[in-house]
Structures are given as structure tokens and as C-alpha cells.
Amino acid sequence: MPELPEVESQARDLRHLVTGRRIIDVWVGWKKTVATPSVEKFRRGLIGRRFKTIQRRGKFIIIKLAGGTGAPLALISHFRMTGHFRIAKLTDSASGKEWYRYPADRFTRVAFKLAPARAGNPPDILHFSDIRKFGRLWLIPQAKITTLPELRDLGPEPLDPSTTPTVFVQCLRRYRGMIKPILLNQSCLAGVGNIYADESFFDAGLHPTTRVEKITDQELVTLFKMIKLNLANAVQHGGSTVGEFIGMRGKPGRHRPHLRVYGRAGESCKRRRNGKPCGGTVKRIVVAQRGTHICPVCQKVRR
DNA sequence: CATTACCTGCAA
DNA sequence: TTGCAGGTAATG
């Protein structure tokens, strides 16, 4: 579920569903999902604390916790390829031992049992589900959020007004080589992944293998605008959902039909000029070991 | 730079 | 059975 719009959608759902809720138990089914600290400290740190605020940074979700003794803590998540949160009610009467399996989900790696929202209600289970087990969770003091290496080296937020086209262009000028891998490395913008990179290159009429040093400032500004547009539209639609459901209650994102190249190999290009279709066929190539989708008519290779 | 590793499921 | 998947870190 993983690019900025999908993570933003999850963060918003979390905000509505778990803000203020208290964690009363934690189950860890795959130890490596907990990046830091040890599983025991992770459980001890979380139990008894409440979800206070929920923010997104790039593809990370940062949950600040309240309560407990000692330094205030933060729970941080990264979904990588298939991670996502889901919430379910623990209405089963046999809710004792295997509460984390309710409802049945083979892919739950970590589960958080939340105290009932109101007396008399059943507890809720917040599942961190992740088919491929690449997703990670961190529990660290809030004071260390900005120094966590994974967060420290992130570029600016694409949709933040303080991230101007100039900021973007000047950052890219520090690099040389193919534009796509540079854009995907998160250091000039945080949150752009494979789908929205391909869509933005298409909209900007840029071939993803073009070397940055061969791209003019003006073209980079256009690329930046297209990135913002694609991300903002996708956020409006609740993300793109490619494989699994992404909504916290199982609702998929609605942006998929708006994609113009990603996942459309072999189909006709959607671009029209003066009302006439471009006539090209979307092609799948490999750039920096990632599947890449282009229209060979709209996006010319340049050396 | 490119390749490999981390994992599992699914479609061809 | 092979290749592919929304990501990133580690290693030549």
C-alpha cells in the first residue's frame, strides 16, 4: 500500500478510528516486523499508553503516544510493499487467548488490543497486516524522531507549500544519472514511489531514463508540478489500491481508473492532442530494476 | 551504477 | 515453474 497517497489515506483513517484509544495488549507474530526495540520492550512500552496524534511523513506514519512513565514515546510504521493497518471489533465471546486472530487474518504480524471506546463496548483490534513481511514498526522516544536514520535523510514533503519548485530543482542538481532512480530514492522528495513516478514522467513528457544533467530547469519544474498534481488527486481518491484492500475497513482506494500508464502495458495511450488520440501503445520497460510504464510516442528517449 | 536480499502470493 | 509485485538496505 505504499506510496504517499495510500499512506496518507491510512493515516487519516487511523486518526478517526484510534485517536485517544488506550492499548491494553500487544501481540507480535513476526519478530522482525518490530525494528526496534526488542519485542519485550516494545510490548511493555505500548501497553497502557494512548494514541495521541497521528501524522504522515513520506511513506511513514508517526503516532505520538501519551501516558506511561518516562520519556514520551512514538510508534512509527513503514509499510514497504504490502503492509497496512486494519481495525476490527472483538465481538467474539471466546475473545480470550487468541484475540489477535480475530477476525482470522493469516497475515497479521502485530496486533494491538484497544480498550473499548465506551464502557460496555467490545475492545477493538488494530492489526498490522503484511503479506510479504517487509513492513517495519519502531517504538522510540519522541525526542529521537528527527534523528531516526530512516526519517532523518528524507527529502521534503511534496505537498507542503514550503517545498517550492526551486527546492526540488536545486536538490536534483546535486545528482547525476537517470531521473527515475534518483526520484525514487526519497532524498529530494519524500513519498513518491513507482506508480506516481511513472504517471508523473508521462504527464511531463519525460522518459524515465533521461539523465538529470540533460533535463532543463523548466522541464524539472513541469515534472514537479505533475508529481504534485498526481499525488494530490490520488489523495483525494483515497489512494490507488493495486493488490490488497487498503482502507482500514477494507475499502479500496478509488484512484486506480485514473492511472494513465501504470499497469496499462499493451493498452492504448490515453493522451489526446486536438481531440485526437496519440495512437501509441503503453510499454513496460525495466529501469533501475523496477517495472516502468511509458508511452513511446509521448516520452522520447534522450541521450 | 547493478545485483542481491528480504518474503509471499498470484498469474501466465 | 517462472516472473512479477506499491520498497529499501546492503553489497560488489
Side-chain angles (χ1 to χ4, degrees):
Chain A
M1 318 221 354
E3 301 183 43
L4 184 152
E6 292 75 35
V7 179
E8 177 65 26
S9 168
Q10 285 255 310
R12 288 179 183 184
D13 284 352
L14 273 179
R15 216 168 277 142
H16 290 123
L17 294 168
V18 306
T19 300
R21 303 291 297 277
R22 190 163 53 91
I23 301 164
I24 54 176
D25 203 355
V26 174
W27 173 82
V28 176
W30 183 257
K31 289 182 165 52
K32 290 167 86 172
T33 299
V34 178
T36 192
S38 66
V39 169
E40 258 325 291
K41 285 183 182 170
F42 183 79
R43 296 188 69 244
R44 275 208 306 276
L46 286 167
I47 293 171
R49 286 189 156 86
R50 285 177 294 107
F51 291 108
K52 192 174 75 174
T53 63
I54 295 155
Q55 307 155 319
R56 180 193 56 73
R57 174 78 176 96
K59 300 172 191 173
F60 294 80
I61 290 177
I62 301 172
I63 301 173
K64 290 183 178 165
L65 304 163
T69 55
L73 297 181
L75 175 66
I76 298 174
S77 70
H78 193 299
F79 299 140
R80 291 287 214 274
M81 297 290 266
T82 55
H84 59 275
F85 285 110
R86 250 175 6 122
I87 194 151
K89 284 213 175 305
L90 186 64
T91 49
D92 196 65
S93 50
S95 59
K97 306 172 230 167
E98 301 217 327
W99 57 269
Y100 47 83
R101 284 283 175 227
Y102 188 85
D105 180 352
R106 302 161 54 198
F107 307 119
T108 295
R109 306 307 179 193
V110 175
F112 308 85
K113 190 175 188 178
L114 309 182
R118 271 184 269 164
N121 285 14
D124 286 312
I125 311 301
L126 179 65
H127 295 258
F128 183 80
S129 179
D130 184 13
I131 294 177
R132 292 179 70 180
K133 300 177 173 172
F134 294 165
R136 291 294 179 264
L137 297 172
W138 295 259
L139 181 68
I140 59 170
Q142 287 176 27
K144 294 197 172 170
I145 292 174
T146 51
T147 57
L148 186 72
E150 287 81 355
L151 289 174
R152 189 191 52 204
D153 302 329
L154 279 185
E157 284 295 318
L159 298 179
D160 187 318
S162 67
T163 309
T164 60
T166 311
V167 167
F168 179 68
V169 173
Q170 289 186 348
C171 180
L172 285 176
R173 289 294 175 226
R174 299 169 18 215
Y175 291 83
R176 39 220 58 217
M178 291 188 295
I179 181 74
K180 178 160 176 176
I182 295 169
L183 185 59
L184 290 184
N185 81 16
Q186 308 297 300
S187 58
C188 287
L189 281 184
V192 180
N194 208 32
I195 296 179
Y196 301 103
D198 282 3
E199 292 297 311
S200 304
F201 290 131
F202 171 76
D203 289 339
L206 260 180
H207 196 283
T209 60
T210 316
R211 302 178 65 86
V212 257
E213 57 272 37
K214 300 286 182 186
I215 305 177
T216 65
D217 282 13
Q218 194 176 31
E219 288 175 306
L220 288 178
V221 170
T222 301
L223 176 64
F224 179 66
K225 287 179 181 166
M226 295 303 118
I227 291 169
K228 289 189 60 151
L229 192 61
N230 278 294
L231 294 176
N233 286 341
V235 166
Q236 287 279 304
H237 294 137
S240 283
T241 302
V242 172
E244 286 300 300
F245 42 78
I246 69 154
M248 297 242 344
R249 308 165 187 114
K251 289 174 298 190
R254 304 178 307 282
H255 190 68
R256 191 81 197 280
H258 299 269
L259 301 178
R260 304 213 284 167
V261 284
Y262 185 87
R264 296 192 64 251
E267 299 175 35
S268 63
C269 175
K270 292 207 167 172
R271 174 136 129 210
R272 293 175 160 272
R273 258 183 306 214
N274 309 322
K276 298 193 174 168
C278 135
T281 300
V282 177
K283 194 175 156 195
R284 180 188 178 276
I285 61 176
V286 175
V287 178
Q289 290 68 245
R290 306 298 305 277
T292 298
H293 308 77
I294 56 155
C295 168
V297 178
C298 304
Q299 296 160 276
K300 293 294 185 195
V301 215
R302 202 193 312 171
R303 251 189 285 281

